[in-house]
Amino acid sequence: MSVRLFDCNCRIGRRLDARSNEPSTVAELLAEMDRLEIEKALVVHYSGYESLPDLGNRRIEDEARGNPRLARVWTALPDTAGDTPPARQWVERMLTAGARAVQLFPKRMNWQLDEWCAGSLLRALEDRKVLALLPFAEADLGTVHEVLEKHPRLPLLLTNVNYRVNRMLFPLLELHANLHIDLAPPYDVHDGVEEICKRFGAKRLLFGSGYPVAEPGAALAMLAYARISEDERARIGARNLEQILEEVQA
Amino acid sequence: MKPADSIASRARRGELLDDVLVIDSHAHLGSWQQFPIWNADGEGMRPAQDALGVDVTCFSAIVSACGMDTAHGNDWVARTVKESGGRYWGYIVVNPSDPNGGRAEVERCKALGLRGLKIHTYHGKPYTHETYIEAFKVADAGGWPVLAHTWGQRDLGWMRELATQFKRTKWICAHTGSTDLDEYLKIGRELDNVYLELCTSSCARGIVEAVVAECGAHKFLYGSDIPFIGAPMQFGRVAFAQISEDDKRRILGLNAKDVFGL
């Protein structure tokens, strides 16, 4: 039986380091989803990362809004310097537009996840239970621990986790029920899906491909061949993410 | 739209590909200091390999390949191969930083039945170091495969030099596309006795298709790096690649059958 898939980790648009033939459009993403029978995807725009968050947010709305298979992710900034609206107002605007998740790039964009810098943003997201995606390369796990402790209702998704960090990741998963990770490379851990399901439950894992940087077939095979129950596979494939997005207080 | 061939459509459902020969050309035995690795001995890896229908796994011990316990790891590999009934095939690790890790160790392990070499830049010496060269003479006399950890241009430069010098050896460049993809494609295209191996934890999109287009599917070998990393991701990169089903069969096992003489 084919597991139903809702990919939590996709990007469109142009990135600086892309190979010349790297896909960048909604049409190309949808073709890849068709090819691999991926039903839905959570999508962020590279313009928000490469150029300007607000531009990326406008572009993801322009390019993906109205497609029932694509859920839009906005790129968020703290409101500390006045170059973005007050956090609650910004979150309201995002929810009104229909987005239900944000991407955070604290290292790239020169801010800190600590409370003194990101507190108002994190509180605004937590109050509405907005899903926050944090790429592993942007994360300091000590700070992630503090964020999760101070914001226990904030669903936080660490993406593209390095396969070598389980000595730190596992205590975080043990301590914080609101922490999730995705399957996107390089979380290429031998028996990793089985181990996390056994220790923490399937609820903590989401199917994410890392498209278009990674080959989506990699995470797909990791899930399809995992030695777990069909119920666990279905949760990881789509149901966990659907539930998180349904719980957003729009 | 559904996956286009029977390998992709069955892999999409997580089915065993029991009509496909699968040989994992790059695997390990045991765990390591830098991160936890579970189920890392021969028995421990079997369930993951059985789920993918892996017929033969070619491995070296991590404590030898990325450590200083050369003979200890090589002995463990030889023992596991002997007890495996053909499921496992072993590489001898050569370590020029271990005073006892050179040609004599290769000859010792040859007497234990092993017929291939594994080399790794972890040991801090160029692959053209004299200790390696002495070991490669044994490999070349037997037409053995040599699996080399490679990470881009510098390492591929050594491989080019060695493949030109030792022409009977089957040189396998591990981690194709880890960086400098064009250099991998170039050496794979230009030298008949050089093969490219698949595994990278980043699983970058499009590498399988690029190797098939530039070098031909006959030059590419499936390898997983299990248990250092998991096997299914690398398997999926081939199973779902946009190449022909025949090419997938070559990469997953038929090429390795020839290279390893299995």
Side-chain angles (χ1 to χ4, degrees), chain A residues 161-226:
Chain A
V161 177
N162 188 287
Y163 67 95
R164 297 188 180 203
V165 301
N166 285 328
R167 287 179 184 140
M168 294 179 283
L169 180 68
F170 279 20
L172 281 179
L173 286 166
E174 180 74 41
L175 285 168
H176 305 291
N178 52 332
L179 175 63
H180 305 265
I181 66 166
D182 80 344
L183 299 185
Y187 197 68
D188 195 354
V189 175
H190 168 52
D191 287 350
V193 173
E194 293 84 350
E195 202 66 29
I196 287 180
C197 286
K198 191 170 69 184
R199 291 177 187 231
F200 310 108
K203 192 173 181 181
R204 315 303 289 280
L205 285 172
L206 305 181
F207 171 72
S209 72
Y211 174 95
V213 179
E215 167 56 59
L220 202 171
M222 193 175 181
L223 179 60
Y225 284 99

Side-chain angles (χ1 to χ4, degrees), chain A residues 3 6 36 43 46 57 59 67 69 76 83-84 90 94 102 121 148 172 222 231:
Chain A
V3 62
F6 189 168
L36 298 171
V43 190
Y46 266 121
N57 299 338
R59 294 197 69 176
N67 190 315
R69 297 176 67 190
D83 61 338
T84 196
W90 185 90
M94 179 199 75
V102 297
L121 172 64
L148 291 163
L172 281 179
M222 193 175 181
D231 181 63

Side-chain angles (χ1 to χ4, degrees), chain A residues 35-107:
Chain A
R35 186 175 79 82
L36 298 171
E37 298 179 79
I38 297 172
E39 187 178 310
K40 295 182 285 186
L42 202 57
V43 190
V44 69
H45 203 290
Y46 266 121
S47 288
Y49 176 83
E50 294 285 0
S51 304
L52 188 66
D54 190 47
L55 177 60
N57 299 338
R58 277 186 274 135
R59 294 197 69 176
I60 197 68
E61 291 301 314
D62 290 345
E63 295 172 32
R65 189 172 193 171
N67 190 315
R69 297 176 67 190
L70 303 179
R72 286 106 57 211
V73 180
W74 282 27
T75 301
L77 289 171
D79 58 6
T80 47
D83 61 338
T84 196
R88 288 184 193 287
Q89 188 182 323
W90 185 90
V91 169
E92 187 65 41
R93 183 193 295 176
M94 179 199 75
L95 292 170
T96 302
R100 297 289 180 268
V102 297
Q103 181 102 277
L104 307 176
F105 298 108
K107 286 187 182 168

